[in-house]
Amino acid sequence: MKIEENSVVRFHYTVSEPGQGQIESSRQIEPLSVLIGHGNIIAGLESAMKGREAGETFEVTISPAEAYGERREGMEQRVPRKHFKGAKLAPGMQVVLPTAQGQRAMTVKKVGISVVDVDLNHPMAGKTLSFDVEILDVREASPEEISHKHVHGDGGHQH
Ligand code: ZN
């Protein structure tokens, strides 16, 4: 079957920044299983998958707008160090902190004695990303998966 809204796709991917080398790959770990059409993966990759079938491999280059968005200015914030609960911090580190908008990934810029400067841009914001994808299998999602907006079972949520 071809990939469409509410397909469950299991695939391997390698993502790199053109000219910068590999960022990460599922090859060293497990393939990813995602439910298509619910924002579980970046928009550009989701649309590149539609209409494809198990066994296909493809490459796609995705602009920041279709990936993690453009980098925005004024996203730096100073956070009291106590919020990091004693974690060892260094510039460049990715951390996740609860914010008013829920859990949020940020990058540590500068570590002070009592405060930490962080950048709230997504670490991949502003990056053009190139994906190398191999589609392993495609199936229809169950009604339960569609109502939960994620995959159950192998490579998905276990609950
Ligand atoms: Zn669920």
Side-chain angles (χ1 to χ4, degrees):
M1 66 177 278
K2 290 196 191 304
I3 297 171
E4 55 183 22
E5 297 284 300
N6 297 325
S7 295
V8 171
V9 182
R10 202 165 63 91
F11 63 102
H12 266 304
Y13 70 94
T14 298
V15 58
S16 53
E17 215 182 329
Q20 306 280 315
Q22 186 176 313
I23 298 170
E24 64 177 31
S25 175
S26 64
R27 299 265 172 203
Q28 289 92 47
I29 34 173
E30 293 276 295
L32 206 61
S33 277
V34 297
L35 176 62
I36 298 296
H38 297 269
N40 291 312
I41 52 173
I42 58 172
L45 187 55
E46 204 166 77
S47 52
M49 281 197 176
K50 290 197 178 147
R52 296 183 191 271
E53 298 177 282
E56 281 192 60
T57 58
F58 67 94
E59 269 182 49
V60 60
T61 298
I62 299 171
S63 65
E66 291 284 289
Y68 293 93
E70 301 290 350
R71 276 191 70 80
R72 289 190 286 149
E73 296 303 318
M75 295 283 279
E76 298 210 356
Q77 268 185 37
R78 185 155 279 185
V79 181
R81 194 161 176 161
K82 62 171 192 255
H83 290 304
F84 294 88
K85 303 196 166 33
K88 268 201 157 44
L89 298 170
M93 247 174 91
Q94 309 291 331
V95 291
V96 176
L97 281 188
T99 70
Q101 291 81 42
Q103 294 283 329
R104 210 155 156 180
M106 52 194 83
T107 305
V108 174
K109 304 302 275 185
K110 199 170 150 207
V111 183
I113 291 168
S114 63
V115 293
V116 179
D117 291 341
V118 295
D119 182 347
L120 291 167
N121 278 295
H122 189 282
M124 304 260 244
K127 294 187 180 191
T128 295
L129 299 174
S130 173
F131 282 85
D132 217 315
V133 176
E134 179 186 1
I135 297 166
L136 301 172
D137 49 58
V138 181
R139 65 170 171 86
E140 264 177 65
S142 68
E144 193 189 40
E145 287 174 316
I146 295 167
S147 75
H148 287 199
K149 298 179 167 36
H150 57 228
V151 175
H152 290 163
D154 245 17
H157 287 241
Q158 316 283 345
H159 66 151

